[in-house]
Amino acid sequence: MQNDTLKKLIKNGAIWGFILFQLVFFEVAGRWWSLSDSAFMDLDSMLLLLKQSAPIGIIAIGMTVVMINGNIDLSVGATYALAGIVMLDSMNWPFMEAMGDASIPLAWLFALFTGSLLGLINGVIVWKTGVDAFIVTLGAMLGYRGLVFMYNGENPTYHLNWTMVDFAEADILGLETPAIVFLAVVLVVWLVMTRTVHGRNAYAIGDNREAAVNAGIRVGPHMVWNFALIGFLAALSAVAFYSGSGSVNPNDGMLFELWAITAVVLGGTKLTGGRGSIIGTLGGVIAIQLLRRGLNHIGAQTETVNLVIGIILIAVLFLDRQLNRKGAEELKV
Amino acid sequence: MTDQKPALRLEGIVKTFPGVRALDGVSFAVQPGEVHALMGENGAGKSTLMKVLGGIYQPEEGRIFIDERETVMRGPLEAKANGVMFIHQELSLAEEISVAENIYLGELPRKSFGRVDWDTLYSRTDAILEKLKVSFNARTRVGDLSIANQQMVEIARALTVDARAVIFDEPTASLTDAEKSVLFDVIADLKAQGVGIIYISHRMEEIFRITDRISVLRDGAYRGTLETAKTDEDEITRMMIGRSLDLTRRQAPATPGPVALRVEGLSCGDLFQDAHFEVREGEVLGFYGLVGAGRTEIAETLFGLRKPTSGRIFLKGEEVTITSPIDAIARGISLVPESRKEQGLVLGMNCRDNITLPQVGDLTAGPFVSDGAEISIYDQYRDRLQIKSPSWRTTVGNLSGGNQQKIVIGKWLSMRPEVLIVDEPTRGIDVGSKSEIHNLLRELAKQGYAVIVISSEMPEVLHVSDRIVAMYHGRVMREFTAEEVTEDSLIQAISGIEGSAA
């Protein structure tokens, strides 16, 4: 049992250990090998890091829920772009312009509604057709991106509202709005997953769907809610980001799904479902962002970043596999 | 056959798993040219023994001899290299490729530059298939074959090497009579070539038709070898089932209460037809029959996992329709499923969460699940069922089979069901926990639950049931009370010999 607890600790703490290692490594590398003349671990740059993590981070939190549930959602990047377009474009509509700043919350609602609806559609298709979530959301990824281009062709969609920009750049104790939204999402979804019935059922369904059905859990509707949640969070991510930037490019959000999945997996969530944690994903998101900044800090070329992250991802999963390998001979009944 | 050296000999094989001694010093020998039956109940250790022979499991003790040469098999390839071949009950073929490729998988004949020598491959395969008198050829895609023919492909595969011992594991399970005779001809051929054959089957008539000797396993231990010609079903059954103190017949029948569940003419397609039975509060109703007789399917129908094609279900005299497990649970029907790992437990979750899974929605305080309420339910059932687990936090996957089963039972008891259905209550559970679970089932009946127990183990059914329903091919053949039932009459009923439908 002792051994069990230790293993658990290593597994759950691994990502934070890795973050700590990065902090020390880049600090030391920067200072003593004179690769950089500034400190790596200063507060401002860490706060900025949190803000930069927010767009993918918010989506990764939703992805964690969906993956614990035993599914996956590849359409989040397209949903993100589409929600951004709906938000900014709606503010150009005559009746919205007539409302002045009061149109801001309404535009946000439109965006959030769009995201939730797209997620809901994914969920209902997965539920009713029984087609694998990977395939359904792969199709949705192409389809929703198609909608993005149908909306405004290759042109960016923009709307500049300084009140909105001010709001997006407002800060509390140095934390800007996107970072606050990110941390709030982490907190709320963490509570949902650890403390509520919905969270409990998500783990149960992801681990053993048949047993969950036998326990009287409504598996289909449950999954639909999770898809709606990730759609909502993709839209929330767009709201947090585009409120500040005011312009959506139709290619925005591409590969977001893969970065989100990378962060989730680094954070210890199993691809097959049933295990994972929101806090782990927070760690995964921070680790990736830290790595980008760190490599930049020591003067590595930006092109090397993806290579390094790719290698680390595989190394982490290999380690995880070693730690989790069950006895080679398991009693099969 | 007498004084030859054995083709295959096992000596004192021991294999243990956490909590279970699966093989406890098994020794027996198969002569060349002998068909040797290996018999035993489910869980007696047959499949573990076969996995040891196949190199999948390494025994802790004991030795394996092939032609009296000691052999260690570290994996399936080594087993094959040593001339031990398997015809599995579950087919292991690649459906998308041809028969020939399947048969020579991993050792396709080659030409230069690694090209496959298709001509040689097909001609070799066709030569083997000819011996088997099959209707397909080397180029047929395996996925297009019937199950019986796929089995023939497996057999053909065994014929490609110079086999010393061939093990048939329930080979006739999916074969028609005509296909069976072809199989038996093949076995006779192999026998004539001096190959040692181990034949695993539950079907007595086959055992008597083709085997020379019979070895019996019980609870992982070797119980002896009989000459087929000098024994009868009775003796074999006795050896297989044995007598142990904790599996005596029920003596005092309970005094049952009112009818909790009554089923009238329940049918579900080909799976079972026209089932009639009732179970009262305070009694255990046993369901006995061979695998595939429709027992599990009846349970699944009562639990809303299958839709009945006709028939009526009454709960406490009131007719009900059950369309999903949610319905069944709401009406007080609970099912402890046949396979606890696949259908019953969330293995990665802890003990407490598994027990409270069906009712966690009712254990909330505000938006959150109440830890205290959950722990108190866990504590209650841990004490009541004597679940041995270090803490409620322990992952269920780390518990022994017996304790896992108790978790599943606890889960359903905590829902306070009217009818508790337990499918194979002690499959894969060690002997000690078995009797604990038997006592528990009896105790539950005493407390007034209506309990249905489905089992493939006769002593278990005899031990726990007040009444026994015997099934054969989807039909309820007969219902026995605990006093009137005899092993013979039960065996006859489940073999379809006695056709008086109840």
Side-chain angles (χ1 to χ4, degrees):
Chain A
M1 239 51 261
Q2 279 273 304
N3 197 11
D4 226 42
T5 334
L6 188 70
K7 254 192 200 169
K8 231 177 181 167
L9 196 74
I10 294 174
K11 256 164 44 192
N12 295 342
I15 190 70
W16 299 103
F18 179 54
I19 288 171
L20 197 68
F21 168 78
Q22 285 191 56
L23 287 172
V24 173
F25 174 82
F26 289 123
E27 185 70 57
V28 169
R31 195 163 299 180
W32 274 286
W33 300 337
S34 342
L35 293 168
S36 165
D37 43 17
S38 62
F40 184 62
M41 279 189 277
D42 83 324
L43 184 64
D44 280 349
S45 75
M46 289 302 124
L47 290 173
L48 183 63
L49 180 135
L50 212 53
K51 181 192 169 189
Q52 288 169 335
S53 314
I56 286 176
I58 294 170
I59 294 175
I61 296 302
M63 191 70 81
T64 313
V65 177
V66 170
M67 284 173 66
I68 287 172
N69 203 203
N71 289 313
I72 201 156
D73 188 347
L74 300 177
S75 69
V76 284
T79 303
Y80 169 85
L82 198 57
I85 286 178
V86 167
M87 178 178 93
L88 294 181
D89 190 60
S90 71
M91 297 178 82
N92 294 328
W93 300 342
F95 86 93
M96 292 281 280
E97 285 199 312
M99 289 169 72
D101 285 348
S103 67
I104 296 174
L106 206 55
W108 289 344
L109 275 182
F110 287 156
L112 296 176
F113 176 77
T114 306
S116 311
L117 182 70
L118 296 180
L120 200 70
I121 292 172
N122 286 340
V124 169
I125 295 176
V126 170
W127 175 26
K128 290 297 180 188
T129 64
V131 177
D132 201 79
F134 185 91
I135 302 298
V136 171
T137 59
L138 184 67
M141 175 179 97
L142 298 171
Y144 296 168
R145 184 64 67 183
L147 289 178
V148 168
F149 280 98
M150 282 162 68
Y151 209 105
N152 217 355
E154 302 277 344
N155 308 311
T157 304
Y158 52 89
H159 180 94
L160 209 54
N161 177 320
W162 288 108
T163 316
M164 193 161 76
V165 174
D166 284 344
F167 178 82
E169 289 178 353
D171 66 312
I172 302 171
L173 299 171
L175 275 174
E176 289 190 28
T177 307
I180 294 171
V181 172
F182 178 34
L183 292 180
V185 166
V186 168
L187 178 70
V188 170
V189 180
W190 175 72
L191 282 173
V192 167
M193 292 307 281
T194 54
R195 306 283 308 277
T196 70
V197 176
H198 184 87
R200 180 74 58 79
N201 289 349
Y203 282 97
I205 292 168
D207 190 322
N208 188 343
R209 192 168 160 156
E210 202 176 346
V213 170
N214 286 343
I217 296 171
R218 294 173 202 275
V219 169
H222 179 98
M223 293 186 332
V224 173
W225 284 121
N226 287 335
F227 277 106
L229 173 72
I230 192 174
F232 173 86
L233 289 176
L236 185 64
S237 170
V239 166
F241 183 76
Y242 292 117
S243 290
S245 88
S247 166
V248 190
N249 192 298
N251 281 314
D252 280 5
M254 278 201 180
L255 294 185
F256 271 29
E257 56 283 338
L258 297 185
W259 284 115
I261 293 167
T262 306
V264 172
V265 169
L266 275 177
T269 296
K270 259 185 14 177
L271 275 169
T272 46
R275 205 178 66 215
S277 81
I278 297 298
I279 303 300
T281 297
L282 174 65
V285 170
I286 291 176
I288 290 177
Q289 202 61 31
L290 207 54
L291 199 62
R292 287 173 183 282
R293 289 185 65 81
L295 290 171
N296 186 33
H297 179 75
I298 60 172
Q301 286 181 317
T302 43
E303 289 79 24
T304 56
V305 173
N306 287 357
L307 176 65
V308 172
I309 294 180
I311 291 169
I312 286 173
L313 178 68
I314 294 170
V316 164
L317 286 193
F318 173 71
L319 277 177
D320 183 63
R321 201 183 127 83
Q322 296 304 102
L323 284 173
N324 285 316
R325 204 161 58 179
K326 296 198 175 131
E329 299 176 0
E330 208 182 346
L331 177 57
K332 285 262 192 297
V333 189
Chain B
M1 198 177 89
T2 39
D3 282 331
Q4 290 168 317
K5 50 183 189 174
L8 175 71
R9 187 160 68 83
L10 303 176
E11 201 179 276
I13 303 286
V14 173
K15 174 77 202 164
T16 56
F17 295 106
V20 189
R21 201 167 169 88
L23 291 176
D24 192 3
V26 173
S27 310
F28 72 93
V30 182
Q31 300 294 336
E34 177 193 28
V35 181
H36 196 115
L38 184 63
M39 299 193 73
E41 292 187 285
N42 292 332
K46 286 172 302 185
S47 40
T48 310
L49 184 63
M50 291 308 108
K51 284 185 177 154
V52 166
L53 268 179
I56 296 164
Y57 290 159
Q58 299 306 313
E60 277 110 48
E61 285 170 40
R63 299 190 288 175
I64 301 170
F65 298 89
I66 292 168
D67 289 333
E68 287 301 281
R69 180 170 41 83
E70 185 169 355
T71 313
V72 177
M73 285 182 268
R74 283 178 222 89
L77 279 178
E78 276 186 56
K80 191 173 178 184
N82 282 303
V84 179
M85 296 299 292
F86 287 84
I87 314 294
H88 290 285
Q89 185 181 357
E90 291 151 27
L91 301 168
S92 53
L93 297 170
E95 297 201 341
E96 295 299 328
I97 57 179
S98 71
V99 168
E101 287 166 278
N102 265 287
I103 291 176
Y104 285 97
L105 202 62
E107 46 203 4
L108 295 173
R110 287 186 203 185
K111 296 194 286 191
S112 55
F113 300 110
R115 290 172 302 155
V116 174
D117 185 351
W118 294 103
D119 294 339
T120 313
L121 174 66
Y122 289 137
S123 62
R124 270 193 210 166
T125 308
D126 278 327
I128 293 170
L129 293 180
E130 203 161 314
K131 271 196 254 173
L132 294 174
K133 303 186 190 73
V134 291
S135 56
F136 54 91
N137 66 38
R139 293 161 199 259
T140 316
R141 196 182 75 106
V142 165
D144 294 335
L145 297 175
S146 67
I147 299 291
N149 278 332
Q150 292 191 9
Q151 189 120 41
M152 285 298 174
V153 176
E154 288 262 3
I155 293 169
R157 193 192 266 173
L159 299 181
T160 59
V161 296
D162 184 19
R164 289 309 301 140
V166 179
I167 293 140
F168 290 84
D169 189 359
E170 301 264 5
T172 56
S174 49
L175 300 189
T176 63
D177 283 344
E179 289 160 343
K180 267 187 215 171
S181 347
V182 175
L183 174 72
F184 292 158
D185 288 347
V186 172
I187 291 177
D189 264 3
L190 285 171
K191 187 175 162 169
Q193 289 164 27
V195 175
I197 292 160
I198 296 181
Y199 191 85
I200 301 174
S201 176
H202 289 295
R203 303 190 182 188
M204 289 286 186
E205 82 269 14
E206 290 170 15
I207 300 288
F208 281 99
R209 181 163 159 196
I210 66 165
T211 68
D212 301 305
R213 290 194 298 165
I214 302 164
S215 286
V216 177
L217 293 183
R218 182 169 83 228
D219 294 332
Y222 169 71
R223 294 287 157 174
T225 300
L226 305 164
E227 299 266 343
T228 309
K230 293 180 191 154
T231 184
D232 55 20
E233 284 190 28
D234 203 42
E235 189 180 6
I236 300 169
T237 314
R238 223 168 287 282
M239 263 173 101
M240 276 166 58
I241 293 172
R243 294 265 169 246
S244 53
L245 275 177
D246 57 338
L247 286 181
T248 47
R249 290 272 294 275
R250 286 216 5 86
Q251 293 303 325
T255 43
V259 175
L261 172 83
R262 191 168 89 244
V263 167
E264 281 182 7
L266 195 67
S267 305
C268 182
D270 299 339
L271 298 168
F272 59 87
Q273 297 86 34
D274 198 27
H276 290 263
F277 59 88
E278 61 180 33
V279 55
R280 291 166 178 275
E281 288 174 16
E283 74 169 354
V284 176
L285 178 67
F287 269 80
Y288 187 64
L290 296 168
V291 172
R295 302 162 303 162
T296 297
E297 289 75 8
I298 286 187
E300 287 173 350
T301 308
L302 292 175
F303 193 57
L305 288 166
R306 288 178 192 276
K307 204 174 163 203
T309 43
S310 64
R312 309 205 284 171
I313 300 168
F314 298 86
L315 267 176
K316 293 190 154 179
E318 183 195 339
E319 182 163 5
V320 294
T321 325
I322 299 164
T323 55
S324 70
I326 298 169
D327 263 2
I329 293 165
R331 295 186 186 282
I333 298 179
S334 290
L335 171 67
V336 175
E338 186 175 15
S339 152
R340 65 179 165 275
K341 286 186 180 174
E342 280 80 37
Q343 305 164 311
L345 292 168
V346 180
L347 286 175
M349 265 190 176
N350 64 40
C351 298
R352 182 198 71 181
D353 295 0
N354 264 287
I355 284 192
T356 57
L357 191 63
Q359 57 173 321
V360 67
D362 300 327
L363 300 175
T364 49
F368 299 131
V369 178
S370 156
D371 249 4
E374 281 197 283
I375 292 173
S376 87
I377 287 180
Y378 169 76
D379 285 347
Q380 189 186 336
Y381 287 93
R382 178 199 57 201
D383 296 344
R384 184 160 163 201
L385 307 183
Q386 298 181 336
I387 295 168
K388 288 177 199 76
S389 165
S391 122
W392 63 260
R393 290 188 182 82
T394 305
T395 307
V396 160
N398 294 337
L399 297 183
S400 72
N403 283 306
Q404 286 183 349
Q405 187 72 318
K406 287 182 188 173
I407 297 266
V408 184
I409 295 175
K411 171 168 79 177
W412 291 117
L413 283 186
S414 73
M415 298 299 289
R416 306 179 185 286
E418 308 278 347
V419 180
L420 180 70
I421 308 170
V422 190
D423 195 354
E424 299 291 357
T426 61
R427 175 170 290 178
I429 288 175
D430 61 291
V431 180
S433 308
K434 261 187 185 177
S435 72
E436 269 187 74
I437 286 183
H438 291 154
N439 293 341
L440 177 67
L441 293 171
R442 286 308 320 163
E443 189 55 37
L444 291 174
K446 208 182 271 176
Q447 289 165 12
Y449 290 95
V451 183
I452 296 178
V453 170
I454 299 170
S455 176
S456 308
E457 295 182 35
M458 188 187 287
E460 178 164 284
V461 173
L462 291 174
H463 179 56
V464 300
S465 314
D466 296 303
R467 286 182 299 126
I468 297 169
V469 169
M471 288 194 69
Y472 171 73
H473 270 297
R475 297 207 167 260
V476 171
M477 300 305 285
R478 221 186 128 177
E479 196 180 301
F480 299 91
T481 62
E483 300 96 82
E484 70 182 358
V485 67
T486 64
E487 285 174 19
D488 285 343
S489 59
L490 200 50
I491 286 177
Q492 282 179 355
I494 65 151
S495 320
I497 295 171
E498 184 189 6
S500 63

